[in-house]
Amino acid sequence: MNDVLQQLADVLEQRKQQTADQSYVASLYAKGLDHILKKIGEEATETVLAAKDGDKDKIIYETADLWFHCMVMLADQGLGPQQVISELQRRFGLSGLEEKARRGSSH
C-alpha cells in the first residue's frame, strides 16, 4: 500500500514541472492552495454522501478522490505520504483518548 502512495507522490512531484494545460494536477497547482483546499472540501462532502447512501463502490471511488486531492495538497506544501504514515505509526497503540489528550497539551 505504501508503495502506491509513494508512486503517486512521485507523479505529483513530476506534475509540478508541467503547465496547467498539460495536466489536471498542474492546473491545480497553478490555481493555488485555496483551490486545492476547495477540491478537498468537495471530495470530503462527496465521500460523506456516498457513505450515507451505503454504496460501497461509490464510497471507495469518492474516498480515492479525497485521498488523491489530499496528496496534491501535501505535495503543494512540500510534504509527502511518508510523513503522514509516520504520524499514524506514532499513534498506533495509543488509545484515541490518550492521543486527543496529548494534542490538547501540545497544540
Side-chain angles (χ1 to χ4, degrees):
M1 174 175 64
N2 208 0
D3 291 343
V4 171
L5 293 177
Q6 190 54 56
Q7 288 171 4
L8 176 56
D10 293 343
V11 169
L12 294 176
E13 282 300 315
Q14 293 168 6
R15 296 299 186 264
K16 288 180 178 181
Q17 307 308 314
Q18 295 183 324
T19 60
D21 61 341
Q22 291 178 305
S23 129
Y24 171 70
V25 172
S27 74
L28 290 174
Y29 292 140
K31 291 175 184 172
L33 181 60
D34 285 346
H35 184 77
I36 294 167
L37 297 176
K38 181 180 175 190
K39 287 299 296 179
I40 291 172
E42 291 170 6
E43 298 303 340
T45 299
E46 291 172 7
T47 302
V48 168
L49 293 173
K52 292 285 281 178
D53 290 345
D55 181 335
K56 292 186 187 327
D57 289 336
K58 194 171 179 184
I59 293 168
I60 291 166
Y61 182 88
E62 296 300 345
T63 300
D65 279 352
L66 176 59
W67 287 14
F68 175 84
H69 287 88
C70 286
M71 291 279 295
V72 171
M73 179 267 306
L74 288 170
D76 182 72
Q77 297 296 299
L79 300 168
Q82 190 53 53
Q83 286 118 326
V84 177
I85 290 166
S86 293
E87 175 61 15
L88 290 171
Q89 288 171 331
R90 184 191 69 77
R91 294 181 189 186
F92 197 79
L94 293 177
S95 76
L97 294 175
E98 183 182 1
E99 172 58 25
K100 187 173 181 179
R102 285 185 180 185
R103 279 187 280 140
S105 66
S106 66
H107 294 305

